[in-house]
mmCIF file of all heavy atoms in Angstrom:
data_model
loop_
_atom_site.group_PDB
_atom_site.id
_atom_site.type_symbol
_atom_site.label_atom_id
_atom_site.label_comp_id
_atom_site.label_asym_id
_atom_site.label_seq_id
_atom_site.Cartn_x
_atom_site.Cartn_y
_atom_site.Cartn_z
ATOM 1 N N THR B 60 63.085 126.135 125.136
ATOM 2 C CA THR B 60 64.146 127.217 124.650
ATOM 3 C C THR B 60 64.150 127.155 123.058
ATOM 4 O O THR B 60 64.298 128.236 122.536
ATOM 5 C CB THR B 60 65.638 126.701 125.147
ATOM 6 O OG1 THR B 60 65.518 126.657 126.514
ATOM 7 C CG2 THR B 60 66.635 127.750 124.710
ATOM 8 N N PHE B 61 64.062 126.024 122.454
ATOM 9 C CA PHE B 61 64.012 126.020 120.937
ATOM 10 C C PHE B 61 62.664 126.084 120.418
ATOM 11 O O PHE B 61 62.440 125.804 119.332
ATOM 12 C CB PHE B 61 64.696 124.630 120.547
ATOM 13 C CG PHE B 61 66.244 124.736 120.750
ATOM 14 C CD1 PHE B 61 66.804 124.161 121.843
ATOM 15 C CD2 PHE B 61 67.018 125.288 119.686
ATOM 16 C CE1 PHE B 61 68.209 124.281 121.997
ATOM 17 C CE2 PHE B 61 68.416 125.340 119.806
ATOM 18 C CZ PHE B 61 68.966 124.849 121.075
ATOM 19 N N ARG B 62 61.609 126.270 121.267
ATOM 20 C CA ARG B 62 60.221 126.478 120.773
ATOM 21 C C ARG B 62 59.708 125.373 120.191
ATOM 22 O O ARG B 62 59.135 125.441 118.964
ATOM 23 C CB ARG B 62 60.140 127.832 119.980
ATOM 24 C CG ARG B 62 60.418 129.044 120.763
ATOM 25 C CD ARG B 62 60.310 130.177 119.750
ATOM 26 N NE ARG B 62 60.662 131.456 120.516
ATOM 27 C CZ ARG B 62 59.946 132.177 121.346
ATOM 28 N NH1 ARG B 62 58.730 131.740 121.543
ATOM 29 N NH2 ARG B 62 60.467 133.256 122.004
ATOM 30 N N VAL B 63 59.974 124.105 120.600
ATOM 31 C CA VAL B 63 59.298 122.907 120.122
ATOM 32 C C VAL B 63 58.496 122.316 121.109
ATOM 33 O O VAL B 63 58.785 122.462 122.364
ATOM 34 C CB VAL B 63 60.328 121.807 119.504
ATOM 35 C CG1 VAL B 63 61.056 122.346 118.239
ATOM 36 C CG2 VAL B 63 61.215 121.488 120.578
ATOM 37 N N ALA B 64 57.470 121.589 120.765
ATOM 38 C CA ALA B 64 56.499 120.993 121.744
ATOM 39 C C ALA B 64 56.959 120.008 122.652
ATOM 40 O O ALA B 64 56.912 119.990 123.794
ATOM 41 C CB ALA B 64 55.200 120.594 120.967
ATOM 42 N N ARG B 65 57.789 119.016 122.017
ATOM 43 C CA ARG B 65 58.357 117.971 122.762
ATOM 44 C C ARG B 65 59.785 117.774 122.491
ATOM 45 O O ARG B 65 60.336 118.141 121.413
ATOM 46 C CB ARG B 65 57.587 116.586 122.347
ATOM 47 C CG ARG B 65 56.145 116.560 122.642
ATOM 48 C CD ARG B 65 55.552 115.309 122.125
ATOM 49 N NE ARG B 65 55.765 115.172 120.715
ATOM 50 C CZ ARG B 65 55.614 114.097 120.009
ATOM 51 N NH1 ARG B 65 54.964 113.039 120.660
ATOM 52 N NH2 ARG B 65 55.762 113.983 118.798
ATOM 53 N N LEU B 66 60.439 117.230 123.438
ATOM 54 C CA LEU B 66 61.976 117.118 123.261
ATOM 55 C C LEU B 66 62.313 116.278 122.077
ATOM 56 O O LEU B 66 63.264 116.420 121.404
ATOM 57 C CB LEU B 66 62.568 116.589 124.553
ATOM 58 C CG LEU B 66 64.049 116.632 124.586
ATOM 59 C CD1 LEU B 66 64.533 118.087 124.614
ATOM 60 C CD2 LEU B 66 64.661 115.853 125.666
ATOM 61 N N LEU B 67 61.415 115.152 121.920
ATOM 62 C CA LEU B 67 61.703 114.212 120.835
ATOM 63 C C LEU B 67 61.741 114.915 119.443
ATOM 64 O O LEU B 67 62.412 114.537 118.507
ATOM 65 C CB LEU B 67 60.758 112.980 120.929
ATOM 66 C CG LEU B 67 61.367 111.754 121.566
ATOM 67 C CD1 LEU B 67 60.305 110.704 121.570
ATOM 68 C CD2 LEU B 67 62.692 111.211 121.012
ATOM 69 N N ASP B 68 60.887 115.946 119.340
ATOM 70 C CA ASP B 68 60.741 116.666 118.139
ATOM 71 C C ASP B 68 62.104 117.361 117.872
ATOM 72 O O ASP B 68 62.596 117.359 116.735
ATOM 73 C CB ASP B 68 59.569 117.768 118.170
ATOM 74 C CG ASP B 68 58.221 117.078 118.193
ATOM 75 O OD1 ASP B 68 58.166 115.886 117.849
ATOM 76 O OD2 ASP B 68 57.308 117.689 118.637
ATOM 77 N N LEU B 69 62.689 117.908 118.985
ATOM 78 C CA LEU B 69 64.009 118.648 118.807
ATOM 79 C C LEU B 69 65.040 117.652 118.468
ATOM 80 O O LEU B 69 65.863 117.833 117.575
ATOM 81 C CB LEU B 69 64.319 119.150 120.189
ATOM 82 C CG LEU B 69 65.620 119.896 120.239
ATOM 83 C CD1 LEU B 69 65.673 121.146 119.184
ATOM 84 C CD2 LEU B 69 65.991 120.441 121.575
ATOM 85 N N VAL B 70 64.942 116.421 119.002
ATOM 86 C CA VAL B 70 65.854 115.385 118.684
ATOM 87 C C VAL B 70 65.790 114.987 117.136
ATOM 88 O O VAL B 70 66.819 114.800 116.517
ATOM 89 C CB VAL B 70 65.683 114.053 119.520
ATOM 90 C CG1 VAL B 70 66.485 112.883 119.047
ATOM 91 C CG2 VAL B 70 65.954 114.425 120.978
ATOM 92 N N VAL B 71 64.530 114.861 116.689
ATOM 93 C CA VAL B 71 64.373 114.691 115.252
ATOM 94 C C VAL B 71 64.944 115.659 114.351
ATOM 95 O O VAL B 71 65.709 115.337 113.374
ATOM 96 C CB VAL B 71 62.835 114.391 114.949
ATOM 97 C CG1 VAL B 71 62.594 114.316 113.467
ATOM 98 C CG2 VAL B 71 62.291 113.136 115.664
ATOM 99 N N VAL B 72 64.717 116.962 114.725
ATOM 100 C CA VAL B 72 65.297 118.113 113.863
ATOM 101 C C VAL B 72 66.719 118.043 113.914
ATOM 102 O O VAL B 72 67.478 118.087 112.820
ATOM 103 C CB VAL B 72 64.770 119.454 114.423
ATOM 104 C CG1 VAL B 72 65.449 120.624 113.737
ATOM 105 C CG2 VAL B 72 63.313 119.463 114.228
ATOM 106 N N VAL B 73 67.401 117.892 115.126
ATOM 107 C CA VAL B 73 68.853 117.866 115.213
ATOM 108 C C VAL B 73 69.381 116.666 114.419
ATOM 109 O O VAL B 73 70.356 116.719 113.727
ATOM 110 C CB VAL B 73 69.260 117.776 116.655
ATOM 111 C CG1 VAL B 73 70.735 117.501 116.684
ATOM 112 C CG2 VAL B 73 68.891 119.090 117.386
ATOM 113 N N GLY B 74 68.560 115.514 114.544
ATOM 114 C CA GLY B 74 68.988 114.223 113.930
ATOM 115 C C GLY B 74 69.067 114.479 112.306
ATOM 116 O O GLY B 74 69.937 113.998 111.613
ATOM 117 N N MET B 75 68.006 115.179 111.749
ATOM 118 C CA MET B 75 68.051 115.519 110.299
ATOM 119 C C MET B 75 69.214 116.282 109.964
ATOM 120 O O MET B 75 69.953 116.071 109.006
ATOM 121 C CB MET B 75 66.751 116.256 110.011
ATOM 122 C CG MET B 75 65.495 115.405 110.200
ATOM 123 S SD MET B 75 65.247 114.180 108.930
ATOM 124 C CE MET B 75 64.550 115.026 107.715
ATOM 125 N N LEU B 76 69.620 117.259 110.778
ATOM 126 C CA LEU B 76 70.796 118.109 110.446
ATOM 127 C C LEU B 76 72.042 117.223 110.541
ATOM 128 O O LEU B 76 72.867 117.456 109.615
ATOM 129 C CB LEU B 76 70.836 119.220 111.513
ATOM 130 C CG LEU B 76 69.710 120.289 111.410
ATOM 131 C CD1 LEU B 76 69.901 121.302 112.611
ATOM 132 C CD2 LEU B 76 69.779 121.035 110.153
ATOM 133 N N VAL B 77 72.154 116.458 111.562
ATOM 134 C CA VAL B 77 73.292 115.577 111.614
ATOM 135 C C VAL B 77 73.424 114.666 110.414
ATOM 136 O O VAL B 77 74.497 114.364 109.859
ATOM 137 C CB VAL B 77 73.361 114.759 113.029
ATOM 138 C CG1 VAL B 77 74.386 113.757 112.959
ATOM 139 C CG2 VAL B 77 73.492 115.777 114.135
ATOM 140 N N LEU B 78 72.216 114.113 110.042
ATOM 141 C CA LEU B 78 72.171 113.225 108.904
ATOM 142 C C LEU B 78 72.750 113.891 107.697
ATOM 143 O O LEU B 78 73.431 113.281 106.907
ATOM 144 C CB LEU B 78 70.688 112.709 108.653
ATOM 145 C CG LEU B 78 70.574 111.618 107.666
ATOM 146 C CD1 LEU B 78 71.198 110.268 108.230
ATOM 147 C CD2 LEU B 78 69.017 111.309 107.522
ATOM 148 N N GLY B 79 72.272 115.022 107.382
ATOM 149 C CA GLY B 79 72.746 115.907 106.186
ATOM 150 C C GLY B 79 74.260 116.099 106.259
ATOM 151 O O GLY B 79 74.937 115.780 105.270
ATOM 152 N N ALA B 80 74.815 116.363 107.470
ATOM 153 C CA ALA B 80 76.282 116.564 107.608
ATOM 154 C C ALA B 80 77.024 115.223 107.302
ATOM 155 O O ALA B 80 77.995 115.234 106.649
ATOM 156 C CB ALA B 80 76.600 117.110 109.006
ATOM 157 N N VAL B 81 76.410 114.181 107.929
ATOM 158 C CA VAL B 81 77.100 112.826 107.757
ATOM 159 C C VAL B 81 77.104 112.418 106.246
ATOM 160 O O VAL B 81 78.098 111.877 105.775
ATOM 161 C CB VAL B 81 76.459 111.826 108.653
ATOM 162 C CG1 VAL B 81 76.929 110.388 108.262
ATOM 163 C CG2 VAL B 81 76.715 112.085 110.102
ATOM 164 N N THR B 82 75.950 112.643 105.693
ATOM 165 C CA THR B 82 75.776 112.333 104.153
ATOM 166 C C THR B 82 76.887 113.086 103.352
ATOM 167 O O THR B 82 77.507 112.479 102.469
ATOM 168 C CB THR B 82 74.382 112.627 103.597
ATOM 169 O OG1 THR B 82 73.428 111.941 104.508
ATOM 170 C CG2 THR B 82 74.244 112.265 102.212
ATOM 171 N N TYR B 83 76.977 114.361 103.708
ATOM 172 C CA TYR B 83 77.995 115.168 102.899
ATOM 173 C C TYR B 83 79.347 114.628 103.155
ATOM 174 O O TYR B 83 80.223 114.364 102.195
ATOM 175 C CB TYR B 83 77.908 116.594 103.393
ATOM 176 C CG TYR B 83 79.092 117.434 102.769
ATOM 177 C CD1 TYR B 83 79.157 117.799 101.564
ATOM 178 C CD2 TYR B 83 80.134 117.747 103.699
ATOM 179 C CE1 TYR B 83 80.206 118.519 101.026
ATOM 180 C CE2 TYR B 83 81.156 118.497 103.192
ATOM 181 C CZ TYR B 83 81.237 118.872 101.918
ATOM 182 O OH TYR B 83 82.341 119.611 101.400
ATOM 183 N N GLN B 84 79.738 114.343 104.432
ATOM 184 C CA GLN B 84 81.012 113.767 104.793
ATOM 185 C C GLN B 84 81.247 112.457 104.135
ATOM 186 O O GLN B 84 82.364 112.202 103.587
ATOM 187 C CB GLN B 84 81.138 113.586 106.368
ATOM 188 C CG GLN B 84 82.466 113.049 106.826
ATOM 189 C CD GLN B 84 83.525 114.142 106.546
ATOM 190 O OE1 GLN B 84 83.332 115.314 106.616
ATOM 191 N NE2 GLN B 84 84.756 113.521 106.222
ATOM 192 N N ASN B 85 80.238 111.611 104.096
ATOM 193 C CA ASN B 85 80.411 110.301 103.392
ATOM 194 C C ASN B 85 80.689 110.491 101.938
ATOM 195 O O ASN B 85 81.518 109.789 101.334
ATOM 196 C CB ASN B 85 79.097 109.430 103.544
ATOM 197 C CG ASN B 85 79.004 108.790 104.898
ATOM 198 O OD1 ASN B 85 80.039 108.670 105.703
ATOM 199 N ND2 ASN B 85 77.859 108.413 105.285
ATOM 200 N N TYR B 86 79.979 111.458 101.278
ATOM 201 C CA TYR B 86 80.173 111.664 99.922
ATOM 202 C C TYR B 86 81.497 112.161 99.608
ATOM 203 O O TYR B 86 82.229 111.602 98.721
ATOM 204 C CB TYR B 86 79.219 112.793 99.473
ATOM 205 C CG TYR B 86 79.299 113.276 98.017
ATOM 206 C CD1 TYR B 86 79.001 112.489 97.004
ATOM 207 C CD2 TYR B 86 80.053 114.382 97.713
ATOM 208 C CE1 TYR B 86 79.123 112.836 95.618
ATOM 209 C CE2 TYR B 86 80.293 114.836 96.482
ATOM 210 C CZ TYR B 86 79.883 114.025 95.437
ATOM 211 O OH TYR B 86 79.942 114.441 94.110
ATOM 212 N N VAL B 87 82.052 113.068 100.381
ATOM 213 C CA VAL B 87 83.454 113.555 100.178
ATOM 214 C C VAL B 87 84.465 112.361 100.344
ATOM 215 O O VAL B 87 85.366 112.233 99.543
ATOM 216 C CB VAL B 87 83.728 114.720 101.192
ATOM 217 C CG1 VAL B 87 85.281 115.045 101.112
ATOM 218 C CG2 VAL B 87 82.870 115.925 100.850
ATOM 219 N N THR B 88 84.336 111.573 101.444
ATOM 220 C CA THR B 88 85.065 110.456 101.746
ATOM 221 C C THR B 88 85.137 109.382 100.567
ATOM 222 O O THR B 88 86.150 109.033 100.065
ATOM 223 C CB THR B 88 84.772 109.803 103.053
ATOM 224 O OG1 THR B 88 84.751 110.786 104.025
ATOM 225 C CG2 THR B 88 85.668 108.743 103.352
ATOM 226 N N VAL B 89 83.922 109.103 100.112
ATOM 227 C CA VAL B 89 83.824 108.115 99.042
ATOM 228 C C VAL B 89 84.476 108.615 97.761
ATOM 229 O O VAL B 89 85.227 107.817 97.159
ATOM 230 C CB VAL B 89 82.280 107.730 98.800
ATOM 231 C CG1 VAL B 89 82.196 106.912 97.493
ATOM 232 C CG2 VAL B 89 81.771 106.951 99.921
#
Side-chain angles (χ1 to χ4, degrees):
Chain B
T60 305
F61 285 95
R62 296 179 184 277
V63 291
R65 295 175 307 171
L66 189 67
L67 265 179
D68 294 343
L69 179 63
V70 170
V71 169
V72 171
V73 172
M75 296 287 276
L76 295 175
V77 171
L78 193 62
V81 169
T82 302
Y83 170 76
Q84 181 63 34
N85 281 344
Y86 174 77
V87 171
T88 304
V89 167

